[in-house]
């Protein structure tokens, strides 16, 4: 089936720490992969995406690489800031279903000064 | 550029009352449109999606319904709200990849916070 699994949260880090949020997916074929971020009380914003194997998406210091061999799309950032505190969602596309996305359950990140 | 609007931003309604949430998109044509609910906690639940005017697909059986009376307007309704309908409702749109079948980025609105008392 189609699913996305993210690491459990909440994740609490100190400012300038290294961040990894794991995401794995099940798929037939090669779906597009996405990371979204949700700040408190707001809608989701696209953070980055990758559309084919070995692509690296990057934005605002965040990176994720489409790993076909491990069906993973882990989110990383070398030095987090307090302003990165938010909930992060991994998602994958579904072919031929009206552009639907399958979302992971979300991982809450809290960065302390 | 494209923008997506939702209103109202917040809503408090009694149990058994009707509901109408509206979502409109500007700056694009024939978008795919989506309604999600985010209940307590963080998970997103897809409620409805639409690939064209009058075309609605329901993902979860419930007392909610959706309509798309115009190309860029998507409405979420209920005749009688339940306590369990409380949550954060998000509308989203994506480019319609006709003939391709793939998935493109979804762009989300600011959301409506619904509290049913």
């Amino acid at each position: 089936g189609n699913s996305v699994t993210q690491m459990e949260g909440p994740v609490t880090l100190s400012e300038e720490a290294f961040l990894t949020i794991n995401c794995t997916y099940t798929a037939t074929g090669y779906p597009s992969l996405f990371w979204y971020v949700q700040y408190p009380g707001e809608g989701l914003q696209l953070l980055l995406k990758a559309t084919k194997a070995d692509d690296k998406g990057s934005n605002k210091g965040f990176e994720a690489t489409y790993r076909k061999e491990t069906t993973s799309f882990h989110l990383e950032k070398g030095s987090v800031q307090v302003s990165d505190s938010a909930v992060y969602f991994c998602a994958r596309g579904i072919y031929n279903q009206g552009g639907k996305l399958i979302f992971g359950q979300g991982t809450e990140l809290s960065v302390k000064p | 550029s494209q923008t997506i609007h939702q209103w109202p931003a917040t809503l408090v309604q009694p149990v058994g009352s009707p509901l109408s949430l509206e979502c409109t998109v500007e700056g694009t044509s024939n978008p795919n449109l989506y309604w999600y609910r985010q209940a307590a906690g963080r998970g997103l639940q897809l409620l409805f999606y639409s690939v064209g005017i009058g075309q609605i697909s329901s993902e979860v059986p419930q007392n909610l319904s959706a309509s798309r009376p115009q190309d860029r307007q998507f409405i979420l309704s209920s005749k009688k709200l339940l306590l369990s309908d409380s949550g954060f409702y998000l509308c989203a749109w994506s480019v319609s990849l006709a003939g391709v079948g793939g998935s493109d980025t979804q762009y989300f609105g600011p959301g409506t916070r619904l509290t049913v008392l």
Side-chain angles (χ1 to χ4, degrees):
Chain A
N2 301 315
S3 67
V4 174
T5 302
Q6 291 181 232
M7 64 185 288
E8 290 282 336
V11 174
T12 302
L13 296 174
S14 297
E15 205 164 22
E16 299 184 1
F18 184 85
L19 168 71
T20 299
I21 300 178
N22 291 338
C23 172
T24 58
Y25 63 92
T26 58
T28 54
Y30 304 102
S32 295
L33 300 174
F34 307 84
W35 275 102
Y36 283 84
V37 59
Q38 184 179 30
Y39 299 102
E42 298 183 8
L44 276 69
Q45 302 175 26
L46 177 69
L47 183 58
L48 52 85
K49 72 177 185 180
T51 58
K52 59 183 187 296
D54 300 324
D55 265 2
K56 176 185 284 188
S58 61
N59 185 27
K60 300 181 181 179
F62 290 90
E63 292 183 340
T65 301
Y66 193 137
R67 301 286 188 197
K68 175 172 64 74
E69 61 279 7
T70 55
T71 61
S72 65
F73 193 54
H74 304 323
L75 182 68
E76 297 181 336
K77 186 175 185 182
S79 176
V80 294
Q81 305 301 312
V82 172
S83 57
D84 294 326
S85 298
V87 180
Y88 293 82
F89 291 90
C90 184
R92 55 147 291 176
I94 304 177
Y95 192 76
N96 261 344
Q97 291 193 35
K100 283 168 54 177
L101 298 179
I102 297 293
F103 285 87
Q105 72 271 33
T107 301
E108 182 178 2
L109 170 66
S110 177
V111 181
K112 306 297 184 185
Chain B
S1 65
Q2 301 88 9
T3 55
I4 179 169
H5 304 280
Q6 287 187 245
W7 65 89
T10 60
L11 191 59
V12 180
Q13 292 284 92
V15 169
S17 63
L19 173 73
S20 181
L21 303 181
E22 189 164 343
C23 170
T24 59
V25 181
E26 296 177 354
T28 188
S29 296
N30 193 32
N32 293 329
L33 295 171
Y34 312 86
W35 276 114
Y36 291 87
R37 177 169 59 203
Q38 197 173 27
R42 304 176 300 275
L44 286 168
Q45 180 184 35
L46 179 63
L47 302 175
F48 302 93
Y49 69 96
S50 171
V51 299
I53 295 175
Q55 301 178 61
I56 308 295
S57 296
S58 175
E59 291 292 294
V60 182
Q62 58 214 322
N63 70 321
L64 298 171
S65 62
S67 61
R68 185 172 176 173
Q70 300 180 43
D71 182 41
R72 291 168 291 173
Q73 184 184 30
F74 205 25
I75 297 172
L76 183 69
S77 304
S78 174
K79 292 182 179 178
K80 288 187 177 181
L81 283 169
L82 306 173
L83 285 174
S84 58
D85 291 324
S86 293
F88 192 47
Y89 288 81
L90 291 162
C91 181
W93 73 273
S94 70
V95 172
S96 175
L97 300 177
V100 176
S103 298
D104 204 344
T105 305
Q106 289 186 15
Y107 300 94
F108 285 78
T112 295
R113 175 77 57 190
L114 171 66
T115 303
V116 182
L117 301 175

